[in-house]
């Protein structure tokens, strides 16, 4: 009889229910780029606090230039200048103008700025004491940026939940905010399990393999917004595993192991969680990554991924990544899913949710999105994951797809919530 496996959606819901947002930390605004804000940020002043010039030129009264033409230019007297840090304190009267630099405050009385390049300097150097001529009228408000164009004092310049961009860090600073509150990057403890594993710097002996999962999972955790912490490799030995898991649970917000997740002779990790905590699931309808344990140990969420590199990758992507994003305060959002045309046939015999490593590309001639699976779906191969930009999703049920059929692909190279 076929085994009844938990649907992926149920497993995802269980994981999300069992993780909480991390405590708030205050960080410099420039460090907050990529993070969702935990609180609204309100401008303490009008931004900009004064009307200012969009051009280097002359500030004047637009009424003075009515009827100006090349044949009948209007002449004005330059009565002062405005430059960075130098403010013209007076007001300009009819017939007067002030030399002004970009960003400088537009003086009282002026309502337009004419750019320097189209003004004729009749005598002097164009500054105070010079006379200048204009050969065309200026519109009221021309080249003047209004005060408070960005925001008014008391306005919310960025809302809680909004993800700060690098330019947004500048906006927060202009609102008087040099530090912001965000949810701390959760500490995610990574452990590799397996007697056959050696550190990447070691040449493996017979029957040994390099621990590649810890590097991949650390990088994935970092990319998801966590602070990964590596706790090392434990051999398939109950006491050694328990020691590392206990240390990680004590120091981290979330613990992820890879290896030892299949119900083989050497599977101690699920037994440990069962004994000391609660197992919330240990099998799901997914390939790769059916053998995946989630539970609580010492009150902390624990995810036990299978050691197969592809299974660990897909398990992290589908279950750990959404959890880390929730802990960081990101609004729930999924990776974008696109419809693409298969370039080859796909047949599956098993009744599980499949995620095959694949590449989707737009055909330059037809404009059509086309997806091609990696040549082999061997779960031990990492190069196929390095080069994949999507996971071809095949839902449960009979699967006999032909070239030209339209399928769903999950874009793992594009951030959650992106419209494609
Ligand atoms: P397991 O989940 O322990 O049954 O492991 C499944 C497969 O993944 C075995 O072939 C392991 O040798 C391999 N494997 C386990 N852990 C790692 C790791 N950290 N890095 C690379 N391969 C691993
Ligand atoms: Mg093993």
């Amino acid at each position: 009889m076929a085994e009844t496996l938990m649907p992926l959606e149920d497993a995802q819901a269980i994981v999300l229910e069992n993780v909480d947002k991390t405590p708030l930390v205050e960080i410099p605004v420039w460090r907050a780029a990529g993070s969702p804000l935990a609180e609204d940020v309100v401008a303490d002043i009008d931004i900009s606090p004064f009307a200012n010039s969009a051009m280097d030129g002359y500030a004047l009264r637009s009424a003075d230039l009515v009827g100006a033409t090349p044949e009948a230019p209007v002449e004005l007297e330059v009565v002062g200048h405005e430059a960075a840090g130098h403010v013209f304190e007076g007001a300009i009267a009819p017939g007067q103008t002030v030399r002004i630099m970009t960003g400088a405050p537009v003086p009282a009385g002026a309502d337009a700025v004419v750019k320097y390049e189209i003004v004729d300097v009749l005598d002097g150097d164009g500054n105070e004491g010079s006379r200048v001529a204009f050969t065309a009228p200026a519109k009221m408000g021309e080249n003047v940026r209004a005060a408070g164009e960005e925001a008014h004092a008391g306005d919310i310049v960025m809302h809680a939940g909004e993800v700060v961009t690098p330019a947004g860090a500048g906006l927060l600073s202009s609102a008087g905010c040099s530090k912001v509150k965000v949810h701390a990057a959760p500490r995610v403890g990574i452990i590799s399990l397996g007697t056959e594993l050696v550190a990447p710097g070691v040449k493996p002996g017979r029957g040994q393999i390099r621990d590649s999962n810890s590097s991949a999972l650390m990088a994935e955790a970092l990319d998801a917004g966590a602070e990964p912490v590596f706790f090392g490799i434990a051999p398939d030995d109950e006491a050694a595993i328990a020691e590392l898991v206990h240390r990680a649970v004590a120091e981290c917000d979330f613990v992820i192991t890879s290896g030892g997740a299949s119900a083989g002779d050497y599977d101690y990790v699920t037994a440990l969680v069962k004994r000391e905590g609660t197992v919330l699931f240990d099998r799901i309808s997914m390939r790769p990554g059916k053998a995946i344990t989630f539970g609580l140990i010492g009150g902390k969420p624990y995810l036990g991924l299978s050691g197969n590199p592809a299974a660990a990758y897909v398990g992290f992507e589908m279950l750990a990544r959404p959890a880390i994003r929730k802990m960081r305060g990101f609004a729930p959002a999924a990776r974008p899913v696109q419809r693409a045309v298969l370039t080859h046939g796909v047949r599956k015999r098993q009744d599980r949710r499949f995620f095959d490593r694949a590449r989707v590309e737009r055909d330059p001639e037809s404009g059509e999105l086309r997806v091609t699976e990696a040549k082999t779906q061997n779960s031990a191969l990492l190069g196929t994951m390095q080069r994949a930009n999507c996971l071809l999703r095949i839902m449960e049920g009979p699967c006999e797809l032909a070239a030209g059929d339209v399928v769903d692909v999950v874009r793992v190279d594009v951030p959650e919530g992106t419209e494609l």
Side-chain angles (χ1 to χ4, degrees):
M1 211 184 91
E3 180 182 20
T4 317
L5 293 169
M6 178 181 281
L8 175 61
E9 289 77 8
D10 294 1
Q12 285 172 321
I14 290 171
V15 174
L16 289 179
E17 273 163 30
N18 284 282
V19 299
D20 296 317
K21 285 183 187 170
T22 51
L24 297 182
V25 284
E26 210 169 35
I27 56 171
V29 288
W30 62 268
R31 273 218 180 271
S35 295
L37 279 184
E39 297 177 338
D40 292 347
V41 171
V42 172
D44 64 339
I45 54 167
D46 289 348
I47 316 172
S48 145
F50 45 79
N52 65 91
S53 179
M55 289 281 175
D56 284 350
Y58 288 91
L60 45 77
R61 309 159 72 94
S62 56
D64 281 357
L65 300 196
V66 171
T69 63
E71 292 72 38
V74 170
E75 286 183 24
L76 299 177
E77 179 197 355
V78 183
V79 294
H81 75 280
E82 287 271 13
H86 179 282
V87 177
F88 174 77
E89 295 295 355
I92 61 167
Q96 293 183 334
T97 182
V98 158
R99 176 94 171 91
I100 192 165
M101 300 297 153
T102 306
V106 173
D111 62 12
V113 171
V114 175
K115 69 175 173 185
Y116 189 74
E117 291 80 352
I118 59 167
V119 178
D120 297 322
V121 177
L122 301 179
D123 56 55
D125 62 358
N127 281 312
E128 203 164 340
S130 304
R131 290 191 67 75
V132 287
F134 299 81
T135 54
K139 279 199 214 84
M140 193 188 279
E142 193 170 304
N143 296 325
V144 175
R145 301 178 189 140
E149 193 174 15
E150 183 90 73
H152 289 103
D155 284 353
I156 295 173
V157 292
M158 216 178 282
H159 287 86
E162 212 173 325
V163 178
V164 182
T165 65
L171 172 60
L172 295 169
S173 304
S174 66
C177 173
S178 56
K179 289 184 159 192
V180 283
K181 285 189 180 155
V182 299
H183 290 278
R187 287 169 66 85
V188 173
I190 306 285
I191 300 172
S192 291
L193 305 177
T195 305
E196 75 282 26
L197 302 176
V198 295
V202 174
K203 244 214 178 109
R206 194 166 157 72
Q208 294 183 321
I209 59 164
R210 285 190 170 129
D211 166 23
S212 57
N213 284 348
S214 62
S215 299
L217 292 168
M218 298 277 285
E220 284 153 18
L222 187 67
D223 186 58
E227 189 196 325
V229 187
F230 184 47
F231 284 84
I233 301 170
D236 295 309
D237 168 89
E238 219 170 328
I241 293 171
E243 199 218 309
L244 280 194
V245 170
H246 287 147
R247 266 183 47 210
V249 163
E251 291 176 35
C252 296
D253 303 298
F254 191 0
V255 177
I256 299 178
T257 61
S258 74
S262 51
D265 294 6
Y266 300 108
D267 176 23
Y268 297 117
V269 68
T270 311
L272 177 79
V273 186
K274 220 171 252 170
R275 196 167 61 239
E276 298 186 19
T278 320
V279 173
L280 295 166
F281 58 78
D282 63 0
R283 289 278 177 283
I284 66 174
S285 170
M286 188 163 80
R287 189 190 164 99
K290 172 176 98 162
I292 196 164
T293 302
F294 179 73
L296 298 172
I297 178 161
K300 302 275 176 71
Y302 163 81
L303 185 66
L305 300 167
S306 152
N308 280 314
Y313 172 78
V314 173
F316 184 95
E317 173 67 33
M318 296 298 156
L319 296 162
R321 190 175 160 97
I324 291 168
R325 287 176 58 85
K326 179 182 171 185
M327 294 167 101
R328 292 282 275 108
F330 284 96
R335 293 277 206 188
V337 174
Q338 288 177 308
R339 306 278 289 157
V341 177
L342 261 177
T343 60
H344 53 81
V346 180
R347 293 177 72 164
K348 305 280 188 199
R349 264 193 244 112
Q350 284 176 19
D351 185 22
R352 263 196 263 164
R353 181 90 48 102
F354 276 78
F355 290 103
D356 287 356
R357 278 83 69 211
R359 258 200 95 74
V360 64
E361 252 141 27
R362 197 170 290 283
D363 181 70
E365 269 143 48
S366 64
E368 192 176 73
L369 276 179
R370 292 193 175 166
V371 60
T372 306
E373 289 196 335
K375 278 206 188 70
T376 157
Q377 295 297 319
N378 176 344
S379 319
L381 297 183
L382 295 154
T384 52
M385 285 181 273
Q386 158 73 19
R387 275 155 223 127
N389 64 357
C390 67
L391 294 170
L392 170 59
R393 181 173 68 190
I394 300 167
M395 302 306 265
E396 288 84 349
C399 165
E400 205 144 323
L401 294 163
D405 283 353
V406 177
V407 291
D408 285 339
V409 299
V410 181
R411 288 299 293 264
V412 289
D413 58 338
V414 178
E416 285 81 353
T418 309
E419 296 272 350
L420 290 182

